[in-house]
Amino acid sequence: MSRTVKSARSQHSTQRRKVRGDLASAALELFATKGYEATTVDEIAAAAGVARRTFFRHFRSKEEAIFPDHDDTLERVEAVLRGAPAQENPIDTVCRGIKEVMRMYAASPTLSVARYRLTREVPALREREIASVSRYERLFTRYLLARYDDRSHLGDEPLLAEVAASAVVTAHNHVLRRWLRSEGQGDVESALDHAFTIVRRAFGDLPSAGQRPPAARAATDGEVLVTVARTDAPLPEVMRAIERALDQRG
Amino acid sequence: MSRTVKSARSQHSTQRRKVRGDLASAALELFATKGYEATTVDEIAAAAGVARRTFFRHFRSKEEAIFPDHDDTLERVEAVLRGAPAQENPIDTVCRGIKEVMRMYAASPTLSVARYRLTREVPALREREIASVSRYERLFTRYLLARYDDRSHLGDEPLLAEVAASAVVTAHNHVLRRWLRSEGQGDVESALDHAFTIVRRAFGDLPSAGQRPPAARAATDGEVLVTVARTDAPLPEVMRAIERALDQRG
């Protein structure tokens, strides 16, 4: 690609983001002051200084206008998945992917908090947001399914992939909602990492692509010891895994 | 309550269900033949032989009209949770609860399949359905949270309750979607029970209210042996649990 084409593209993309951002601010402002129902697309377009048809080039409906960044974020998430190292556990990749979504919210705390207040009051906006989030969930399900190779779950892979994707997205939404309710205070990325640790523990049995799990694995966390073994694993091997895990703890 | 009042109530409820059912059939028929966008509330009301204001007594919008049973189903689910035996694992209670939702779909396969086709084509209807399902999810999260007493997760209970509720709902939706895509063929309740087994395994560490988990538990499924033990459990006790699980398998 020549430098000129690249620069023209990048200019176009900057311009596109600016228009979308202006429309989103205008919509948020109008929804908050005038009310969601009473606000028209024409008013949003006018407040952002663009024509009605420009609005519809960027958003399908007025409820979409306050979520201008999901399309770009989805692309960034896809890039994370595409660029994942082959040896990375797919669940970890998905966790890194959804961090892009969290960063989108964290980049503008004031805007995110104001929008959150609105979505709680206006069902149409809440439903719009739920629908946006479900796009990430479908992307993660497809990704996990393509990398699923635990033969002990033959036939249940689509179910497990979807449940695992949903667990990651739910954990993300939970942390995000807490952060928004606390007016965007605190380190939301650390909170997200902690939540992932909790979820990863529950879904620890989804091995990386291409890995054959060992005959027996054991790990401790606080007061709990968890062991996963093949039923044909020799008992001494199971015992060694357990003892190793208990030793590492102490 | 006197028999007369009861009977009047029951008559009212039967009448209510009939009107809602008629409106739903009319809406589904019109959406399918005339198209969702082109269909008006007036046309739906007219086709069902009721006035426009009767429509709005039952539904807030035309996209709600094809899901007439979620309100009643939510009540039945709440009744399942309320009536759960104290010793039942809360996750099992939630699984029994969401079975009521599956039964609602399974009670009218043709209608459910036709509606599913429509929801795939019309984003507004799909979003409406996602929103309906999120009501069950919130109910389950509250229920699980109130019964959560695993002290090893201090502070993470709201996260775990939400992730567990979401896992159950996701498993349900997965099985439901498969059944709808297969034109409502096969025993969907058995498929749901199987899916719950898979999810229960992942979330096996959510103990029942008031129960102190045993020092060590082990279970096998096919080729996999899973053991959960307290780190202070005597090793012989862990071994006994493993051997018991392997014996039961044979």
Side-chain angles (χ1 to χ4, degrees):
Chain A
M1 200 181 333
S2 77
R3 185 162 296 188
T4 325
V5 173
K6 228 187 210 161
S7 148
R9 276 205 191 168
S10 141
Q11 252 183 28
H12 173 257
S13 153
T14 308
Q15 175 62 15
R16 181 176 162 276
R17 257 200 299 277
K18 191 192 170 312
V19 174
R20 289 174 74 90
D22 288 350
L23 284 167
S25 304
L28 195 59
E29 175 80 22
L30 282 163
F31 291 169
T33 51
K34 205 179 144 102
Y36 167 77
E37 291 294 347
T39 301
T40 66
V41 166
D42 287 319
E43 288 167 325
I44 299 171
V50 302
R52 178 187 166 85
R53 69 166 188 286
T54 305
F55 178 96
F56 281 112
R57 210 175 297 139
H58 290 281
F59 302 108
R60 279 177 306 175
S61 59
K62 68 173 174 176
E63 61 266 28
E64 241 181 51
I66 62 166
F67 307 103
D69 299 322
H70 278 303
D71 288 350
D72 286 350
T73 305
L74 194 69
E75 277 179 27
R76 279 204 301 282
V77 174
E78 282 167 346
V80 168
L81 303 188
R82 259 197 317 274
Q87 72 280 13
E88 188 174 49
N89 185 310
I91 292 271
D92 290 332
T93 312
V94 164
C95 289
R96 285 200 302 114
I98 206 163
K99 266 198 161 179
E100 294 295 328
V101 184
M102 187 63 90
R103 284 187 189 123
M104 172 195 77
Y105 287 92
S108 344
T110 316
L111 184 73
S112 297
V113 169
R115 188 172 50 198
Y116 175 65
R117 282 210 198 97
L118 257 175
T119 56
R120 298 193 68 188
E121 282 160 23
V122 183
L125 294 176
R126 192 166 51 234
E127 288 171 21
R128 181 65 244 155
E129 176 141 58
I130 292 172
S132 300
V133 170
S134 75
R135 286 163 72 199
Y136 301 109
E137 204 162 322
R138 286 197 299 275
L139 173 65
F140 294 144
T141 300
R142 284 196 305 274
Y143 180 79
L144 290 175
L145 185 54
R147 268 144 205 87
Y148 210 96
D149 72 342
D150 182 348
R151 302 286 163 233
S152 66
H153 285 297
L154 218 63
D156 291 322
E157 296 87 350
L159 169 70
L160 281 164
E162 191 170 335
V163 170
S166 151
V168 171
V169 171
T170 302
H172 164 273
N173 293 352
H174 180 92
V175 172
L176 173 62
R177 206 181 317 114
R178 268 196 183 187
W179 179 73
L180 292 168
R181 283 186 187 160
S182 75
E183 307 281 317
Q185 299 299 309
D187 182 352
V188 70
E189 283 202 41
S190 300
L192 189 59
D193 285 335
H194 173 74
F196 287 157
T197 310
I198 304 281
V199 174
R200 284 288 281 111
R201 213 174 290 154
F203 285 95
D205 62 340
L206 190 70
S208 303
Q211 274 179 15
R212 174 83 181 136
R217 283 177 300 179
T220 63
D221 178 74
E223 294 180 0
V224 181
L225 162 79
V226 177
T227 313
V228 178
R230 291 209 305 269
T231 44
D232 61 357
L235 272 185
E237 196 167 331
V238 180
M239 284 309 294
R240 269 196 301 279
I242 291 177
E243 283 169 342
R244 234 176 1 246
L246 290 173
D247 283 352
Q248 277 171 7
R249 177 184 59 111
Chain B
M1 201 184 325
S2 77
R3 184 163 296 190
T4 324
V5 174
K6 228 189 211 163
S7 147
R9 277 207 190 166
S10 140
Q11 252 182 26
H12 173 257
S13 152
T14 308
Q15 174 62 15
R16 182 177 161 275
R17 257 200 299 276
K18 191 192 170 312
V19 173
R20 289 173 73 90
D22 287 351
L23 283 167
S25 303
L28 194 60
E29 174 80 22
L30 281 162
F31 291 169
T33 51
K34 205 179 144 101
Y36 167 76
E37 291 294 346
T39 300
T40 66
V41 166
D42 286 320
E43 288 168 325
I44 299 170
V50 302
R52 178 187 165 85
R53 68 165 190 286
T54 305
F55 177 97
F56 281 112
R57 210 175 296 139
H58 290 280
F59 303 108
R60 280 178 306 175
S61 60
K62 66 174 174 175
E63 62 266 28
E64 240 181 52
I66 62 165
F67 306 102
D69 298 321
H70 277 304
D71 288 350
D72 287 351
T73 305
L74 194 69
E75 278 180 27
R76 279 202 302 280
V77 174
E78 282 168 346
V80 168
L81 303 188
R82 261 197 317 274
Q87 71 281 10
E88 187 174 48
N89 185 309
I91 293 272
D92 289 331
T93 312
V94 164
C95 289
R96 285 200 300 114
I98 205 162
K99 267 197 161 180
E100 293 295 327
V101 183
M102 188 62 90
R103 284 187 189 123
M104 172 195 78
Y105 287 90
S108 344
T110 316
L111 184 72
S112 298
V113 169
R115 188 171 51 198
Y116 174 65
R117 280 209 200 98
L118 257 175
T119 56
R120 298 192 70 187
E121 283 160 22
V122 184
L125 294 176
R126 191 166 52 233
E127 288 172 21
R128 180 67 244 155
E129 175 140 59
I130 292 172
S132 300
V133 170
S134 74
R135 287 163 70 200
Y136 301 110
E137 203 162 325
R138 286 197 299 276
L139 173 65
F140 294 145
T141 301
R142 286 197 304 275
Y143 181 79
L144 290 175
L145 185 55
R147 268 145 205 87
Y148 209 96
D149 71 343
D150 182 347
R151 300 287 163 231
S152 66
H153 286 294
L154 217 63
D156 291 322
E157 295 86 351
L159 170 69
L160 281 163
E162 193 170 332
V163 171
S166 150
V168 170
V169 170
T170 303
H172 165 273
N173 293 352
H174 180 92
V175 172
L176 173 61
R177 207 181 317 114
R178 269 196 183 187
W179 179 73
L180 291 169
R181 282 185 188 161
S182 76
E183 307 280 315
Q185 298 300 308
D187 182 352
V188 69
E189 283 202 41
S190 300
L192 188 60
D193 285 335
H194 173 74
F196 287 156
T197 310
I198 304 282
V199 173
R200 283 288 282 111
R201 212 174 292 153
F203 286 95
D205 63 339
L206 191 71
S208 303
Q211 271 180 16
R212 174 84 180 137
R217 284 176 299 178
T220 63
D221 177 73
E223 294 180 358
V224 181
L225 162 79
V226 177
T227 313
V228 177
R230 290 209 306 269
T231 44
D232 61 358
L235 272 186
E237 195 166 333
V238 180
M239 284 310 292
R240 268 198 300 279
I242 292 177
E243 284 170 341
R244 228 172 10 241
L246 290 173
D247 283 353
Q248 275 171 8
R249 178 182 58 112

